[in-house]
Amino acid sequence: MAHQWRGVIREYAQRLPVGPATRIISLGEGGTPLVFAPALSELTGSKVYLKVEGMNPTGSFKDRGMTMAITAAVESGAEAVVCASTGNTSASAAAYATQAGIKCAVLVPDGKISMGKLSQAIAHGAELLQVNGNFDNCLDVARKLSENYPVFLVNSVNPARIEGQKTAAFEVVDFLGDAPDYHLLPVGNAGNITAYWKGYREYAESYISATAGELPAVSTKTPIMWGFQAAGSAPIVAGHPITEPDTIASAIRIGNPASWQQAETARDESGGLIDSVTDEEILAAHRWLSSKEGVFVEPASAAGVAGLLKHHAAGNVPTEKTMVITVTGHGLKDPQWALRTADGSDIEPTKVEFDVVSVANALGLTGL
Ligand SMILES: *Cc1c(COP(=O)(O)O)cnc(C)c1O
């Protein structure tokens, strides 16, 4: 009998802080495809897979954490949640709060979020405020709001978010049969690299579960973690906060990551690195994914692939390894980037008359 994926909380209940009486708020998130990337694999001589997180219910990995955060909010009796967002957190919080029947307030940087993400939050009825400031300013206000008013914070500083997001590492291991040798991903507020590292570690160690007692180790190893920030927003690489972060990759336009320390721990414990990639490298990776691998992502999502291409060009990528790259959000979130060439000019579809000869000519076909 076909098995329908039941969302990350039900699939991994033994490894999450939920009990039998918990009312689970879920849109069926997780269970996303781990897609073999033939072109990247051929280039590097390693087996490269893409964890395609754009396939989550609201189109980004944020849903994994949000199912846990909204479930925890409801369990605590909250009637309203708040988040700061570069876009995807607000889209996700708004959707899950709607299912829970609670209010959702979102603070976004003025003019800096894509139309796809903005429309999701509005469609789901969030109270959306455009704040005259950047993401870091929004998070600061959201935190203070949750400390002084009756609203529950659902940003990734909330540990429930990290718990939910660690399930992506479980899925990778469950699919491959062991942890990969390398895991690459974009780094913004650094919640996701923190969560993957937690998940990989829990699968490599025996795990004491609140509901199931001791669970045996699932994998034999943990991967080397490679995280990539955008060059104009690379505080961890620079070693200090960036007051005016700048990049076309809006989902990682963050100058002072909330999980900075944890990201460094993931890097250091795994023997990995956190590096930066330029907007040009991000857009080249974005184009590589859509034109060579058949996977359409939003620009920020391509940062991990940009990092692989950069390090391959520098001769730092080993052959015959297994590598997983998380591509974090769907291309339809922010589709404008597909409609311009590498040199920045607009791409216009060719117009034709409706007769077969004109269409054949336009396609460069000759008759049989
Ligand atoms: C949130 C987000 C990121 C960054 O993840 P962090 O956990 O903040 O490091 C990257 N890509 C997309 C599409 C996102 O929505």
Side-chain angles (χ1 to χ4, degrees):
M1 201 170 81
H3 164 75
Q4 174 158 320
W5 183 265
R6 299 164 298 166
V8 299
I9 298 181
R10 292 189 179 93
E11 295 291 338
Y12 293 110
Q14 291 188 331
R15 291 173 180 270
L16 292 170
V18 291
T22 302
R23 177 187 159 207
I24 296 170
I25 308 300
S26 170
L27 293 166
E29 60 295 314
T32 57
L34 190 66
V35 176
F36 183 69
L40 287 171
S41 298
E42 194 187 334
L43 177 79
T44 58
S46 276
K47 275 205 180 98
V48 182
Y49 295 86
L50 304 168
K51 184 69 171 151
V52 183
E53 290 290 274
M55 297 306 286
N56 276 295
T58 76
S60 85
F61 75 83
K62 300 297 198 299
D63 294 340
R64 294 179 183 277
M66 207 53 74
T67 182
M68 280 295 304
I70 301 291
T71 293
V74 168
E75 198 156 45
S76 78
E79 284 170 15
V81 295
V82 65
C83 65
S85 178
T86 61
N88 282 332
T89 299
S90 62
S92 186
Y96 284 80
T98 296
Q99 187 185 84
I102 60 177
K103 286 204 185 78
C104 176
V106 303
L107 308 180
V108 298
D110 193 11
K112 292 281 170 66
I113 94 164
S114 77
M115 204 170 61
K117 301 173 190 179
L118 189 67
S119 58
Q120 285 180 289
I122 289 171
H124 294 303
E127 293 278 354
L128 186 130
L129 301 176
Q130 295 201 321
V131 177
N132 183 16
N134 60 30
F135 170 83
D136 304 284
N137 306 135
C138 292
L139 181 56
D140 194 42
V141 173
R143 278 176 133 149
K144 288 178 181 146
L145 200 72
S146 72
E147 284 159 15
N148 296 296
Y149 297 86
V151 289
F152 189 95
L153 186 67
V154 294
N155 279 102
S156 60
V157 292
N158 178 335
R161 281 276 308 276
I162 304 296
E163 288 298 310
Q165 286 175 209
K166 77 184 180 186
T167 59
F170 297 165
E171 290 176 21
V172 169
V173 176
D174 288 343
F175 186 92
L176 294 175
D178 203 346
D181 299 306
Y182 288 76
H183 192 112
L184 289 72
L185 76 172
V187 174
N189 213 25
N192 212 26
I193 190 170
T194 301
Y196 269 98
W197 184 238
K198 187 168 200 286
Y200 279 126
R201 287 198 40 185
E202 286 182 6
Y203 251 17
E205 294 159 8
S206 76
Y207 177 82
I208 310 299
S209 158
T211 52
E214 187 169 348
L215 301 169
V218 177
S219 59
T220 66
K221 60 183 179 189
T222 53
I224 293 168
M225 303 294 295
W226 283 8
F228 295 94
Q229 302 192 293
S233 316
I236 301 177
V237 179
H240 57 78
I242 305 294
T243 42
E244 293 195 0
D246 184 36
T247 168
I248 57 107
S250 56
I252 53 173
R253 187 188 286 133
I254 292 174
N256 192 10
S259 300
W260 187 320
Q261 225 81 61
Q262 294 91 317
E264 291 189 338
T265 302
R267 176 195 64 193
D268 297 342
E269 289 184 354
S270 74
L273 56 83
I274 293 176
D275 192 10
S276 63
V277 282
T278 64
D279 283 359
E280 290 69 36
E281 289 168 330
I282 288 171
L283 287 174
H286 178 258
R287 214 169 293 115
W288 178 295
L289 283 167
S290 53
S291 66
K292 294 184 201 279
E293 314 288 0
V295 175
F296 189 34
V297 303
E298 66 167 285
S301 304
V305 173
L308 182 75
L309 293 172
K310 174 182 173 178
H311 281 268
H312 175 262
N316 297 335
V317 174
T319 59
E320 289 173 24
K321 299 288 184 192
T322 300
M323 307 189 136
V324 172
I325 312 178
T326 301
V327 291
T328 44
H330 204 287
L332 294 175
K333 293 274 193 176
D334 197 3
Q336 56 158 323
W337 301 100
L339 299 176
R340 65 184 63 175
T341 59
D343 60 29
S345 49
D346 290 345
I347 297 170
E348 291 281 347
T350 307
K351 294 194 165 71
V352 290
E353 295 306 319
F354 67 100
D355 73 86
V356 73
V357 176
S358 308
V359 172
N361 286 344
L363 294 173
L365 299 172
T366 45
L368 297 171

